Each structure stands twice: as structure tokens, then as C-alpha cells.
């Protein structure tokens, strides 16, 4: 086992005994780090680890190890994006990471503004159902909306098979982060946040967009004092609701008159 690091340096895949030792936590820190670095580059080894950990009888430690490797892969891929261009947008840094994607800060080279670029993680992009259910749905939902309390979508597309969204770059923190630091907000601030979220949802519902995932992590508190609703990946799209007074609402008015006549 002492030659593990040298094998990794040569680009060779670890043998079965090494992978088992890795999954069972029997390797030294040096050997484990070498295999993690190798798996970050080797899709075949990652698939082998994932298969071993997916068995019903696999101990929880194995699943934790595979999750850690996937995290390393995500971090390596995220850092590799810095300096690249996506169309006219130049990636300048990593803004945050999530279960399904990485958010980058990028510069619009034509308009000179900073934007957020949300790119689906490579290990998730291969699942078409996830792509359709999350990124494509989010793009379609955001495209219907234009409201000061809803994050703005500028563009969307695919980069080497991974879908991405170009969104306005926000400065501040999520409501979840704020509540972790300050569990009880002042009443006037809580009411202001709730009012902004309610206005966003009224606008979304009128456009036929049902968010379905409103929670503190998807409510963003801007340093400007404005509140923004984020993440439309789980939204349900319906036909837009006709505004009050339209033909579509005539049935509601008729029903109201009938009910009030009793």
C-alpha cells in the first residue's frame, strides 16, 4: 500500500484492494488524499465507488466517503471554471455551491455589469430528468416574470452538456443565514420581508408560476433592503391567470352575485 501515492502520480487507477480500503476508511491520510485526487480526475473510478456505495448493504461510512469524493470533484470543477468565458460572460469567481449546481460571479464583457452564472454540476447534468425538472423549468418560469421582488433571469443555455442560467447578481444573504444568526427578527422587518415575498408570489401566480419551494433559503435579503425570491427550479407552470375584470373572471363575478342573492 505504500506505493499508492506513486501509482496515483503515474495516472494509474487504484486496484480493488485500495478502493476497498479507501471505502472502509483503512488508509492513511496521505493515501486517502491521493485516491481522492485521482478520483476527482477519473470518472471510471468515481463510478466504481458510487456503485459500491449504492448497494443496500453498504455501510454508511462508504456512502459518506463517496459523498466526500463527489464534493472534491465539484470543488475541482468549480475552480476550473474561473477565467473561462460563457458566451460574452467571463467567470471571475465562485459565489456559492449547492446540491445541484455552482453559482459563479461573472462579468458581462459587453455591458460591463456583474452577473451570477448558475451552472448544473457535471455529475447531475447527465440525468435528463433532473435537467428538465430543475434548470429548464427554472428558466421557463423566470422568463415569465419581471418583478422587483423576484430574481431576474438575463439568459440561459448549455455549456458542454451542462445547463446554465445567467441571473442578476445579488449582494446580501439568505433569510436562512440571517435567522441562523438572529432567530427573532424585529417585527417591522419581518413584516416587510413577508410583504415583499407576498407581492412576488402574487405576481408569479398571475403569470401562471407556482413556486412550490418557498423557504428561508430561497428568500434573499439584499443589502439595499429589498427582498428577492430565488430558485424557481421546482415551480409548476400553468396558463397565466387573467387579471380581474377580464372575460376569464366573469364566472367568478357571476358566482359572487348568485351567492350574495341568498
Amino acid at each position: 500500500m505504500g506505493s499508492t501515492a506513486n501509482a496515483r502520480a503515474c495516472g494509474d487507477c487504484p486496484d480493488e484492494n485500495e478502493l476497498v480500503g479507501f471505502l472502509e476508511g483503512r488508509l492513511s491520510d496521505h493515501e486517502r488524499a491521493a485516491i481522492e485526487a485521482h478520483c476527482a480526475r477519473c470518472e471510471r473510478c468515481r463510478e466504481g465507488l458510487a456503485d459500491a456505495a449504492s448497494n443496500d448493504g453498504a455501510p454508511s461510512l462508504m456512502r459518506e466517503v463517496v459523498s466526500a469524493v463527489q464534493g472534491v470533484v465539484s470543488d475541482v470543477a468549480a475552480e476550473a471554471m474561473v477565467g473561462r468565458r460563457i458566451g460574452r460572460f467571463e467567470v471571475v469567481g465562485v459565489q456559492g455551491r449547492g446540491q445541484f449546481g455552482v453559482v459563479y460571479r461573472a462579468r458581462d464583457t459587453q455591458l460591463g455589469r456583474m452577473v451570477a452564472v448558475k451552472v448544473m454540476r457535471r455529475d447531475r447534468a447527465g440525468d435528463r430528468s433532473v435537467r428538465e425538472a430543475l434548470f429548464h423549468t427554472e428558466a421557463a418560469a423566470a422568463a415569465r416574470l419581471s418583478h422587483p421582488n423576484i430574481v431576474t433571469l438575463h439568459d440561459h443555455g448549455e455549456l458542454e452538456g451542462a445547463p446554465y442560467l445567467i441571473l442578476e447578481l445579488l449582494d446580501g444573504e439568505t433569510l436562512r443565514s440571517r435567522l441562523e444568526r438572529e432567530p427573532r427578527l424585529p417585527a417591522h422587518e419581518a413584516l416587510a420581508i413577508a410583504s415583499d415575498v407576498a407581492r412576488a408570489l402574487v405576481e408569479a401566480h398571475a403569470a401562471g408560476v407556482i413556486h412550490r419551494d418557498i423557504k428561508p433559503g430561497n428568500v434573499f435579503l439584499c443589502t439595499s433592503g429589498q427582498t428577492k425570491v430565488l430558485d424557481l427550479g421546482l415551480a409548476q407552470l400553468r396558463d397565466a391567470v387573467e387579471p380581474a375584470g377580464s372575460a376569464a373572471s366573469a364566472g367568478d363575478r357571476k358566482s359572487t352575485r348568485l351567492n350574495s342573492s341568498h
Side-chain angles (χ1 to χ4, degrees):
M1 299 292 284
S3 63
T4 301
N6 291 335
R8 299 300 80 71
C10 295
D12 296 332
C13 291
D15 61 32
E16 183 177 353
N17 290 332
E18 290 174 330
L19 286 179
V20 170
F22 177 69
L23 287 171
E24 293 180 349
R26 293 189 281 104
L27 301 186
S28 68
D29 290 345
H30 178 67
E31 290 169 330
R32 186 177 67 251
I35 290 183
E36 284 182 352
H38 171 80
C39 289
R41 302 186 302 271
C42 180
E43 184 176 359
R44 186 177 69 174
C45 287
R46 291 199 302 273
E47 290 177 350
L49 290 175
D51 288 343
S54 64
N55 294 332
D56 292 338
S60 60
L61 176 61
M62 284 190 180
R63 291 190 287 271
E64 291 172 4
V65 169
V66 171
S67 178
V69 170
Q70 290 172 338
V72 171
V73 173
S74 179
D75 289 347
V76 170
E79 295 300 333
M81 280 291 296
V82 176
R84 293 190 61 181
R85 288 180 66 132
I86 302 176
R88 70 175 194 263
F89 303 98
E90 181 182 5
V91 177
V92 299
V94 179
Q95 183 80 358
R97 297 176 175 86
Q99 182 180 3
F100 293 99
V102 181
V103 179
Y104 302 92
R105 298 185 307 279
R107 184 174 66 88
D108 186 331
T109 58
Q110 290 185 6
L111 300 179
R113 64 183 173 182
M114 297 299 293
V115 298
V117 181
K118 184 177 180 181
V119 183
M120 178 170 276
R121 281 173 40 181
R122 301 286 179 184
D123 57 316
R124 299 284 188 173
D127 188 333
R128 182 171 182 176
S129 63
V130 173
R131 293 202 310 269
E132 294 291 339
L134 296 176
F135 272 63
H136 293 175
T137 296
E138 182 168 4
R144 293 189 182 190
L145 304 171
S146 178
H147 190 271
N149 297 120
I150 301 174
V151 65
T152 300
L153 173 72
H154 297 309
D155 200 356
H156 70 97
E158 285 199 4
L159 176 68
E160 299 172 358
Y164 66 82
L165 306 175
I166 307 295
L167 303 159
E168 66 174 312
L169 182 64
L170 303 177
D171 183 21
E173 64 180 344
T174 63
L175 178 58
R176 180 179 63 188
S177 296
R178 175 69 184 282
L179 291 175
E180 288 173 352
R181 191 176 68 254
E182 188 179 351
R184 298 190 66 175
L185 300 180
H188 71 279
E189 186 174 0
L191 286 172
I193 293 170
S195 295
D196 281 350
V197 172
R199 279 191 283 269
L201 294 181
V202 167
E203 174 72 14
H205 290 181
V209 177
I210 312 301
H211 191 287
R212 302 200 304 173
D213 196 26
I214 289 294
K215 58 186 179 183
N218 286 337
V219 175
F220 196 89
L221 309 180
C222 301
T223 54
S224 64
Q226 198 172 38
T227 300
K228 297 270 189 176
V229 171
L230 310 176
D231 202 342
L232 295 160
L234 295 180
Q236 184 179 63
L237 305 184
R238 299 177 177 175
D239 292 336
V241 177
E242 294 291 339
S246 67
S249 62
D252 294 335
R253 294 198 303 272
K254 180 178 180 180
S255 175
T256 301
R257 290 196 299 271
L258 288 173
N259 290 335
S260 64
S261 65
H262 292 288

